[in-house]
Amino acid sequence: MRQRKIFYSSETRSKIRRRTAGVILLLTSGFALLVYRCLTLHMAPDPRLQRLAINQYKARLQVARPRGTIYDSRGEELGVSVPTYSLAIRPSKLAAPKQLALSLSRTLSIPYEQLIAKVSSEKKYVWVKRHLTPKEANLLKTGEEETGVEWVNEAKRFYPNKELASQILGIVGIDGQGLGGMELAYDRFLNQHETESNTYQDARGHRLELPGAIKKDSKGPFDLWLTLNKSIQFTLETELEQACRGYRAKSCTGIVMDPQTGEILAMAGFPSFNPNALRRSDPDSWKNRAVTDGFEPGSIFKVIMAAAALESGTVQPEDRFFCENGAYPIGRNVIHDTHPHGLLSFREIMKVSSNIGIMKIGQRVGKKEFEKMIRVLGFGQKTGIDFPGEDAGMVRPSENWGEIEFANMAFGQGVRVTPIQILRAFSIIASGGYDLKPHFVSKVTTPDGEEVWRFQKSPTQILKPETTRILTQMLTEVIQEGGTGTQAGLSAYTVAGKTGTAQKVKNGKYSKQDYVGSFVGFAPAENPRVAALVLIDEPRGQIYGGVVAAPVFRKVVWEALRELGVSPRTQPTILKASTGEMPELIATSSPDSVPDFRGLSMREVLRLLEEKKIPAEIEGSGVVYHQEPVAGTRLAKGETCRILLRSFH
């Protein structure tokens, strides 16, 4: 069949050529634009597209970085950071998620259901367990490496002394952030400012170590130097625990402070806790009651009324008041004394702790002057101590005091104070009238020792020196024969202090069986180096502060003075108190005398015993907290030294 030829006119052919050229030009231009775009993407990437690409292989995770070290005043480590491993997974990269979940459940003792939820998660990155134990890490690392399973190097907070000062040091969260105590109060120094890191992964989920993958802030961490003395802290905690257990008390609290500087040398409460095993402790034991909890002080508050009387000049030490033989009615209420008294001087009222006597002194002083002294000594407001959660206490305005409320406040009822407020007030008396801010931290340094911050003292005179001198004399008489605080006495040092036995309020009424026994004081009275407070909450069997708290004060202050190197004022003597306490021998050491074993380890004790050929009975383990006879004693022929050791768990 013959093909038919199609003939185009010249005009039609011209149109076809133009169209063909246009199509070719369009295709060529499109290809050129495509090549240009490829070149620009390769040579100068679009930041937006770059971010999208990076997000496909970058994950953001929070890790715990090393924190600064916390030291006591003599450079002993109290809180350190140790390296540890954590285990994480990328669920989308796991080859056999169910088998992995089963294996990890057996090794890490994590419920299988929890691990199934983790390996099935739609998240890019999931923690399996943070801060593995060395045993767990070794077991896991013996297996074959699996795609999607990652090891992360982290830092874990560790407290080498376990319970020691735990309520002061506080706790740290899983991500390395301070959650309480010094760890929280000084987190800005202890912690690195940047706590997040960028981690990069390849297509199979393996981490890539790229430049800039981990951000590090140049500031911190810094080291913290506390004013705490580890030896004094140990003694305080040991004595509080023994007293608390011995009197079956609800809790016990103690503070030791340098009244000349405001430095806290020790602070403790029992029950306590081990921050290395936080989950096994009662959260109530985490509290530092010395700062965060208020209480009605009872007779230790009589010192505030005495200060108001002397400072205002309304009462002189030898002024006498009739104490109504132990009972004094005010309206429908009756004020009682523990023992009946007749005519007593101001000094004697303080010595025997007469409620009626101090109330009558208050009537002469007046409400306004008393409230003024309460405010001057810092009650009803925070001390400003560098510890989180401080309670301000509660003091109602004097305009709201009725006659019975005023009488009760004179001997410490109807007012709420904190232990640190009370000790601060006594320290003001001990320092000659100067107010020094209580504090825990002396300085902050770099790991190399370069100082970046130091506490600055700013003493303010708030009481007349004559007022504090007379008050100190009165408080020393409390310790003497016939006073309520004889069990706080030391044969080699003059002690000034005050006992307290405060009824607790239960169900809106003052309880007849629940009390707080307390003792507060300082030594040596003529040049105070140590001020201390001891509270025994709800003791059983005995309730009086002079019986339950004063002996603890005596032992703790003796150890503190010894630790600070304060020389005794007398030659060795034996103190025999009429209260039934054990005699205490204060003696200087001689070559053939018993050494001071307290605070030494078992190995150090055995070395000294061998060296001095001393026969001994040793009980317990850890470090020495008690010995019989005391240091400086010469053993009689056939006599054996008894040494008691104790560990913190």
Side-chain angles (χ1 to χ4, degrees), residues 170-394:
I171 55 179
V172 172
I174 194 73
D175 292 317
Q177 73 278 27
L179 298 179
M182 294 294 98
E183 299 281 18
L184 173 60
Y186 287 87
D187 191 62
R188 65 190 187 279
F189 290 117
L190 291 167
N191 203 0
Q192 290 189 27
H193 290 236
E194 176 60 54
T195 58
E196 290 185 335
S197 61
N198 291 328
T199 177
Y200 296 89
Q201 60 182 4
D202 62 15
R204 294 189 176 185
H206 295 301
R207 292 178 69 189
L208 303 174
E209 299 298 332
L210 301 177
I214 296 180
K215 294 181 180 179
K216 290 186 178 179
D217 198 301
S218 59
K219 295 181 179 179
F222 299 110
D223 295 337
L224 213 60
W225 293 76
L226 304 187
T227 59
L228 294 182
N229 181 295
K230 183 178 173 181
S231 177
I232 301 173
Q233 181 74 25
F234 178 82
T235 300
L236 178 63
E237 293 189 18
T238 300
E239 297 300 336
L240 287 177
E241 179 178 354
Q242 288 185 340
C244 224
R245 294 189 187 280
Y247 291 110
R248 307 188 307 280
K250 180 181 178 181
S251 66
C252 296
T253 303
I255 315 173
V256 183
M257 184 167 129
D258 185 340
Q260 306 298 337
T261 64
E263 294 180 350
I264 304 296
L265 305 177
M267 183 183 287
F270 183 84
S272 186
F273 73 102
N274 181 354
N276 298 322
L278 202 58
R279 293 183 179 179
R280 296 199 294 268
S281 63
D282 180 357
D284 194 53
S285 68
W286 305 352
K287 295 176 66 177
N288 180 14
R289 291 183 176 85
V291 175
T292 64
D293 285 15
F295 72 107
E296 287 197 357
S299 292
I300 53 178
F301 206 67
K302 291 173 181 174
V303 174
I304 313 306
M305 178 62 83
L310 294 171
E311 188 79 357
S312 63
T314 53
V315 184
Q316 299 303 314
E318 305 307 326
D319 290 355
R320 300 171 76 81
F321 299 83
F322 181 56
C323 295
E324 307 291 339
N325 294 315
Y328 184 67
I330 297 181
R332 293 179 298 176
N333 302 282
V334 179
I335 305 297
H336 293 280
D337 276 338
T338 305
H339 302 287
H341 299 288
L343 203 61
L344 294 177
S345 70
F346 184 5
R347 290 180 181 276
E348 292 168 332
I349 287 169
M350 292 296 293
K351 182 174 182 177
V352 301
S353 197
S354 168
N355 292 339
I356 296 171
I358 201 70
M359 179 208 69
K360 289 196 170 185
I361 289 172
Q363 289 174 339
R364 188 179 295 185
V365 170
K367 297 179 184 179
K368 291 295 184 183
E369 284 296 327
F370 185 35
E371 184 189 14
K372 178 182 176 182
M373 181 55 62
I374 290 173
R375 304 292 182 186
V376 164
L377 292 178
F379 296 101
Q381 56 189 304
K382 296 180 181 181
T383 65
I385 190 171
D386 48 346
F387 193 91
E390 182 182 7
D391 185 13
M394 187 276 295

Side-chain angles (χ1 to χ4, degrees), residues 361-619:
I361 289 172
Q363 289 174 339
R364 188 179 295 185
V365 170
K367 297 179 184 179
K368 291 295 184 183
E369 284 296 327
F370 185 35
E371 184 189 14
K372 178 182 176 182
M373 181 55 62
I374 290 173
R375 304 292 182 186
V376 164
L377 292 178
F379 296 101
Q381 56 189 304
K382 296 180 181 181
T383 65
I385 190 171
D386 48 346
F387 193 91
E390 182 182 7
D391 185 13
M394 187 276 295
V395 179
R396 291 180 298 147
S398 57
E399 292 83 1
N400 299 333
W401 301 351
E403 189 176 4
I404 187 63
E405 287 81 12
F406 181 34
N408 287 343
M409 287 188 66
F411 48 84
Q413 289 185 345
V415 59
R416 192 180 84 245
V417 304
T418 62
I420 189 61
Q421 286 176 334
I422 283 287
L423 190 58
R424 175 199 185 190
F426 273 74
S427 294
I428 291 170
I429 297 167
S431 67
Y434 287 94
D435 183 17
L436 285 150
K437 183 178 178 180
H439 59 281
F440 283 106
V441 176
S442 60
K443 63 180 179 179
V444 177
T445 67
T446 65
D448 296 331
E450 182 183 350
E451 191 173 294
V452 297
W453 179 87
R454 175 176 286 275
F455 179 83
Q456 299 294 329
K457 293 189 296 183
S458 54
T460 305
Q461 182 97 40
I462 60 174
L463 291 181
K464 300 172 186 175
E466 183 65 9
T467 297
T468 63
R469 184 186 66 79
I470 297 172
L471 263 178
T472 299
Q473 288 177 351
M474 289 183 175
L475 294 176
T476 60
E477 294 174 15
V478 172
I479 316 302
Q480 296 170 7
E481 186 176 353
T484 59
T486 55
Q487 293 199 50
L490 292 166
S491 63
Y493 303 96
T494 306
V495 175
K498 184 71 187 73
T499 57
T501 307
Q503 288 177 281
K504 294 187 69 174
V505 176
K506 293 290 182 74
N507 300 318
K509 296 181 180 180
Y510 282 103
S511 172
K512 293 184 179 180
Q513 63 179 15
D514 295 326
Y515 294 81
V516 176
S518 60
F519 189 90
V520 193
F522 48 87
E526 60 276 8
N527 182 27
R529 292 288 309 280
V530 171
L533 169 146
V534 176
L535 300 180
I536 312 296
D537 187 12
E538 296 187 17
R540 297 294 180 243
Q542 296 284 351
I543 61 170
Y544 296 109
V547 177
V548 299
V552 177
F553 171 94
R554 175 174 61 86
K555 295 172 186 176
V556 171
V557 168
W558 156 240
E559 174 62 29
L561 292 171
R562 168 188 167 277
E563 178 69 18
L564 296 174
V566 180
S567 301
R569 58 171 183 157
T570 62
Q571 292 298 315
T573 57
I574 293 180
L575 173 65
K576 292 182 178 179
S578 59
T579 55
E581 65 172 314
M582 290 182 62
E584 178 186 357
L585 178 65
I586 306 298
T588 54
S589 61
S590 61
D592 56 349
S593 64
V594 175
D596 192 344
F597 294 108
R598 289 175 299 175
L600 301 183
S601 66
M602 176 75 81
R603 179 178 296 180
E604 293 168 323
V605 168
L606 293 174
R607 180 182 59 78
L608 276 174
L609 291 174
E610 175 66 23
E611 182 181 302
K612 289 185 169 285
K613 308 298 182 186
I614 297 174
E617 296 177 2
I618 302 176
E619 299 178 23

